[in-house]
Amino acid sequence: MSEKIDNLLHELEKMPGIGPKSAQRIAYWILNTDSANKLADTIKTVKSDVRFCKKCFNYATDDLCEICSNPSRNHKIICVVCEPRNIPPIERTCVFNGIYHVLGGEISPIDGVGPEDLNIAELMNRLVDVDEVVIATNPNVEGETTAAYLARMIKPLGIKITRPASGIPVGGDLEFADEVTLGRALEDRKEI
Amino acid sequence: MSEKIDNLLHELEKMPGIGPKSAQRIAYWILNTDSANKLADTIKTVKSDVRFCKKCFNYATDDLCEICSNPSRNHKIICVVCEPRNIPPIERTCVFNGIYHVLGGEISPIDGVGPEDLNIAELMNRLVDVDEVVIATNPNVEGETTAAYLARMIKPLGIKITRPASGIPVGGDLEFADEVTLGRALEDRKEI
């Protein structure tokens, strides 16, 4: 194919989850549709206008993100997450009304990421007049390590530290739960 | 999320094969990567510079596509395809050295596409000093209808008309071939 289309395929294949076949399908869609210029413009706008919130490091179009600048949120509860992409799923639950802090990664010695590479100092600076820190890092090795590190740092301040419960997914099946999850669910059993 | 990111998600979801989850994944990739501006530029370049070949209606960056302007191709054999995207797979076989003609669709009464909506008149005008027309429309109802229509139009000109063979895919398994394909393969059996 022409060099310009090859360039497009090459750029499209860099997108996550897009292999050569999908890239080709999308390239032909781009060639055919009037929407493609709008897509390119939207990418440009986002790249130029979206930055990090100065307070919580979520994505924002102003100095503060929409959550940090919302006075109806409870600013005394901070939920710590690894990445901005962890925030929308929590927001969709409609259960959490506090604000967030994005670490920008998780502690992972194997990838050379230590506590000093994350927004932890910035988190510590925010812990004035705060009632609770919810550490919502992923329930895997790196996430648990990060949570343990944060807990050790925050504990001396006398602030309540919590972590979302692990257990069997709602609508899930006991039979198909892995033993670690099921074990955790039994340990954390609740009286009804 | 912010309105600008919502716009981006909305545009990304228009791409073929991209649902809400993939769009979100790609949106976060766009926010994080330096490649995104280059992707947007490439889309813009392709949209402004790529047009249809004046002869065969394949995508081209000049008046003629790379295949039509290549003197080492056999210009006496024309392979008729429905869409430009059908050309790269044929090219990859390295078996065909002729040139192409893109119809821009296939006859489909159910979608309101008749022969007059396709580049058929343009094909007929090209059939001067041509030895063979290979009708490589898809082996489905619309493709076969289109092929039959073209064959009826071209036959009076005394030009050889061919169609790629149907049969069991190479590396395929007799056991799993559907009966129509297997029937066709038996009818078209070759002496060895």
Side-chain angles (χ1 to χ4, degrees):
Chain A
M1 282 301 285
S2 114
E3 196 195 322
K4 280 173 185 163
I5 299 181
D6 279 345
N7 285 343
L8 177 60
L9 288 171
H10 182 71
E11 294 303 321
L12 288 172
E13 280 180 39
K14 290 182 185 168
M15 300 200 296
I18 303 296
K21 291 260 171 187
S22 308
Q24 200 170 68
R25 206 169 149 208
I26 294 171
Y28 282 114
W29 172 83
I30 287 172
L31 284 161
N32 271 318
T33 182
D34 293 334
S35 300
N37 274 319
K38 206 171 160 206
L39 170 64
D41 289 336
T42 321
I43 294 173
K44 289 260 175 191
T45 308
V46 161
K47 287 304 281 182
S48 69
D49 294 359
V50 176
R51 54 203 124 156
F52 289 114
C53 170
K54 287 197 170 165
K55 199 166 162 189
C56 77
F57 300 96
N58 185 11
Y59 291 120
T61 41
D62 283 310
D63 276 357
L64 292 185
C65 73
E66 291 182 356
I67 297 170
C68 283
S69 55
N70 182 346
S72 75
R73 307 280 304 209
N74 183 350
H75 286 243
K76 294 194 164 194
I77 306 186
I78 297 181
C79 177
V80 179
V81 293
C82 291
E83 301 288 351
R85 67 168 164 267
N86 301 136
I87 295 178
I90 298 176
E91 287 294 290
R92 280 194 294 270
T93 65
C94 298
V95 161
F96 180 73
N97 190 40
I99 54 175
Y100 293 91
H101 188 85
V102 179
L103 294 175
E106 44 193 8
I107 297 174
S108 172
I110 214 163
D111 298 319
V113 182
E116 66 285 356
D117 300 312
L118 307 177
N119 303 320
I120 292 180
E122 291 83 353
L123 171 65
M124 299 311 288
N125 287 336
R126 288 181 65 189
L127 298 183
V128 180
D129 201 22
V130 164
D131 292 338
E132 182 181 347
V133 175
V134 184
I135 307 181
T137 54
N138 292 311
N140 56 22
V141 176
E142 291 81 10
E144 297 286 4
T145 308
T146 310
Y149 180 88
L150 289 177
R152 210 169 60 227
M153 298 283 285
I154 300 167
K155 207 93 196 183
L157 305 177
I159 298 169
K160 183 177 168 189
I161 306 170
T162 57
R163 190 133 171 66
S166 285
I168 306 153
V170 178
D173 202 316
L174 268 188
E175 197 181 342
F176 302 120
D178 65 286
E179 50 268 53
V180 181
T181 302
L182 188 53
R184 187 81 69 92
L186 286 170
E187 276 170 18
D188 295 348
R189 63 191 179 276
K190 285 173 68 181
E191 199 174 323
I192 52 167
Chain B
M1 283 301 285
S2 118
E3 196 196 322
K4 280 174 185 163
I5 299 182
D6 280 344
N7 285 344
L8 177 61
L9 288 171
H10 181 70
E11 294 302 322
L12 288 172
E13 281 179 38
K14 290 182 185 168
M15 300 199 296
I18 303 298
K21 291 259 170 186
S22 307
Q24 202 170 66
R25 207 170 149 210
I26 294 172
Y28 281 114
W29 172 83
I30 286 172
L31 284 162
N32 272 317
T33 183
D34 293 333
S35 299
N37 274 319
K38 205 172 158 205
L39 170 63
D41 289 335
T42 322
I43 294 174
K44 289 258 175 192
T45 308
V46 161
K47 287 305 281 184
S48 69
D49 294 359
V50 175
R51 56 201 122 154
F52 289 113
C53 170
K54 288 199 169 163
K55 199 165 162 190
C56 78
F57 300 96
N58 185 12
Y59 291 120
T61 41
D62 283 309
D63 277 356
L64 292 186
C65 73
E66 290 182 358
I67 296 170
C68 283
S69 54
N70 183 346
S72 74
R73 308 279 304 210
N74 182 350
H75 286 242
K76 295 196 163 191
I77 305 186
I78 297 180
C79 177
V80 178
V81 294
C82 291
E83 301 287 353
R85 68 167 163 270
N86 301 135
I87 295 178
I90 298 177
E91 286 295 290
R92 280 196 293 272
T93 66
C94 298
V95 161
F96 180 72
N97 190 40
I99 55 175
Y100 292 92
H101 188 85
V102 179
L103 294 175
E106 43 193 7
I107 297 173
S108 172
I110 215 165
D111 298 319
V113 182
E116 66 285 357
D117 300 313
L118 307 177
N119 303 320
I120 292 180
E122 291 84 351
L123 171 65
M124 299 311 287
N125 287 336
R126 288 181 66 191
L127 298 184
V128 180
D129 201 22
V130 164
D131 292 338
E132 182 180 347
V133 174
V134 184
I135 306 180
T137 55
N138 292 312
N140 56 22
V141 176
E142 291 82 10
E144 297 285 3
T145 308
T146 310
Y149 180 86
L150 289 177
R152 210 169 58 228
M153 298 282 285
I154 300 168
K155 207 94 193 181
L157 306 178
I159 298 169
K160 184 176 168 189
I161 307 170
T162 58
R163 192 135 169 66
S166 283
I168 306 153
V170 178
D173 202 318
L174 267 188
E175 198 182 343
F176 302 121
D178 65 285
E179 49 269 53
V180 180
T181 301
L182 189 53
R184 189 80 69 94
L186 286 170
E187 276 170 20
D188 295 349
R189 64 192 178 275
K190 283 172 70 180
E191 199 174 323
I192 54 167

